Amino acid sequence: MDYLVYEYGCLPPLRGRAAAIEQMARRHRLWNSLVEVERDYRSQLSAVLRDETSESAVEAARGRLTALRCEIKARRRVERRRAVDAADLQAQIAQAKIELANTIAAAREGRRARIAQNKHSLQLLEAARRVAVRQAQTGSNLYWCNYDDVISAYEIARRRTLREGRDLRFQPWDGTGKVTVRYQHGLAVEGVQAADRRLQFDPVDPLAWTSPRRSERRKLARSRIRIRVGSEGRQPLWLELPVIFHRPLPGDGTVRSASVICEKVGSRERWRLLVTVARPQRAMREGPAVAVDLGWRLLPDGLRVAYWEDERGDHGQLVLAPAVLWQFSKLNDLKSIQDQHLRVALDALGAWSKTNQPPAGIDLGHVSEWRNPWRLLRLYRVWKECRVPGDDAAFLALTAWKERHDHLHEWEANLRDQVIRHRKEIYRRFVAELLRTHGRVFLEDLQIRAMARKDRPEEDNRNYSGGMRVVAAVSLLGRLIREHGDCERVSARHTTRECSWCGHAKEWDAAENIMHRCEACGRLFDQDRNAARNILRRGLMEIESSCREVAEMAAV
Ligand SMILES: [Zn+2]
């Protein structure tokens, strides 16, 4: 089965808003109590399994490696360039890595032994955790689809964070969230236009998608949906919203779940509908295989975020135009203007408080060290209620700041929303065009690459230089390609170093120059195109060898 997510814009609810927000608040409380359950469980688990000797051995080995890496960075800083001679340190780093791997392996071995010894108490812990989860679920008072959704998100997150050695996080409540309905066995797409008891769509005239007139399409695509957020007696309690069905759900699909999301953009609320549909797997798309190298690089004509090459030798790139970059920089400007205003207000309050007494209950003790506008907003709300004679100067400064802040904050939130959506639209179009003309897609395994390159100065890390990571958002681009294409991931080792024309591999400073001349074959090439070619070759090789394996097994 293929799982596809369809997204539709909604307008504010016609009815059931309060019930929906209530569910969101309860979902949020349930999540936080599950985080508490998990933290409890983990602290008891570590009391059973903890071994301080091997932990401190790993810590020490890690410390030695970090110290060596810092030394390389320091050398670069002194020489003011990236290409420094660090062969001696690189050798020591290699050695330190081996030591670290050994201590980690020993610690794992010890842990495995302790798990075997304490099997019974671990089982008890796990059973107690499950009981606690069930209690939290019952106490949540949620419509079952919603607690089901939160608990399955918790189970996924706890496994992931355990693997990555992180804690589960509490979430602050900001009045937004989502409500969900789920179907264990799916609901046929025609079903939602009938009298289902969890999800209902008002029927849409098919001309909404086929009419040659845009105005007619727009008019007919307007419909309503109802999503269940609880019960009134035995009857469903609905959240009902106007929705714009700009494209149809696939007729051969089954709905597995649907969510309505409420989010805040500045002071505005925005509502969206997401429908997850399962469909029988499509046949592989026709067309040549293509590889995409994701990464960001500032060029004279914009920010390059992807380079592709296909089996026919066609190649191209995706570049974010300077106008888009300018919008992102505008966001930073707005941010720093807000910082300046904040600074001015804090200084004024600090100076005033040296010679004046604020109203009772207001503490301006360390006001000039505040960083967060939220604190100042809270101060404004409290102070407004307890004005005293003689506080005019300070309170007026605070009010002036608040007015500017509200205005700039709103502006920034709306602009951010706009530029992020614009970028997504550019990425969507690029992906649609790429997939229209190509079959299989190969991508580097970005997660592995991110882990491999972060904070390892001894390796090539072109993507971690420059402040363009946030603007490029290549993980979004990767996700769009994976969601819509027949994607295969290819290991990311040395895709930038090897010459894809002759296979010669040698270290060079990848950040320095976009063009590189191969020492062996003399070819001058664009580094990103070279990486795409390497990904393509590797992807094709992996497929060929897995085909050969299948053929050999069939022959036996
Ligand atoms: Zn070469």
Side-chain angles (χ1 to χ4, degrees), residues 96 121 190 266 300 356 454 537 540:
S121 38
E190 309 93 81
N356 294 277
K454 209 172 178 180
R537 207 192 53 233
L540 291 172

Side-chain angles (χ1 to χ4, degrees), residues 341-357:
H341 286 320
L342 182 68
R343 195 67 265 157
V344 169
L346 292 176
D347 287 347
L349 288 172
W352 183 84
S353 70
K354 282 202 183 99
T355 49
N356 294 277
Q357 195 58 36

Side-chain angles (χ1 to χ4, degrees), residues 79-257:
E79 306 260 335
R80 285 174 177 278
R81 60 196 170 88
R82 298 176 43 81
V84 292
D85 180 26
D88 54 332
L89 287 172
Q90 264 154 353
Q92 286 181 52
I93 283 181
Q95 186 57 37
K97 276 185 185 168
I98 294 170
E99 275 165 28
L100 177 61
N102 287 341
T103 47
I104 288 176
R108 283 220 178 108
E109 195 62 40
R111 189 179 164 87
R112 232 169 276 140
R114 281 190 305 284
I115 288 176
Q117 283 159 15
N118 296 294
K119 212 165 180 186
H120 183 62
S121 38
L122 293 182
Q123 279 166 350
L124 288 181
L125 269 183
E126 174 64 13
R129 184 186 72 83
R130 294 209 175 152
V131 170
V133 168
R134 213 160 308 127
Q135 273 169 357
Q137 172 199 311
T138 337
S140 73
N141 251 326
L142 275 165
Y143 176 50
W144 73 268
C145 286
N146 282 322
Y147 70 61
D148 223 40
D149 196 40
V150 175
I151 290 175
S152 66
Y154 153 74
E155 292 290 348
I156 293 169
R158 73 178 287 264
R159 277 197 293 275
R160 198 187 55 230
T161 50
L162 268 177
R163 209 169 43 235
E164 294 169 0
R166 292 185 293 120
D167 266 337
L168 269 192
R169 294 249 189 92
F170 292 107
Q171 283 167 1
W173 168 247
D174 61 355
T176 64
K178 70 169 175 172
V179 289
T180 300
V181 293
R182 299 154 74 95
Y183 297 92
Q184 227 92 53
H185 303 291
L187 169 72
V189 161
E190 309 93 81
V192 294
Q193 299 206 350
D196 185 75
R197 290 170 62 81
R198 287 175 220 164
L199 185 63
Q200 297 178 354
F201 297 6
D202 281 355
V204 175
D205 188 330
L207 273 177
W209 308 300
T210 55
S211 167
R213 293 221 323 275
R214 186 175 141 91
S215 60
E216 186 169 42
R217 291 201 305 273
R218 293 186 90 176
K219 205 176 94 210
L220 291 175
R222 284 185 158 236
S223 179
R224 284 181 187 186
I225 61 125
R226 286 168 291 285
I227 187 168
R228 186 167 182 170
V229 291
S231 311
E232 283 174 313
R234 298 184 63 93
Q235 289 310 307
L237 182 61
W238 297 108
L239 168 67
E240 184 174 46
L241 312 102
V243 64
I244 293 107
F245 272 113
H246 63 281
R247 61 173 177 155
L249 291 169
D252 60 346
T254 50
V255 174
R256 302 310 291 256
S257 70

Side-chain angles (χ1 to χ4, degrees), residues 499-504 518-523 525:
C499 168
S500 64
W501 279 272
C502 73
H504 178 72
C518 172
E519 282 180 11
C521 69
R523 192 172 179 116
F525 56 75

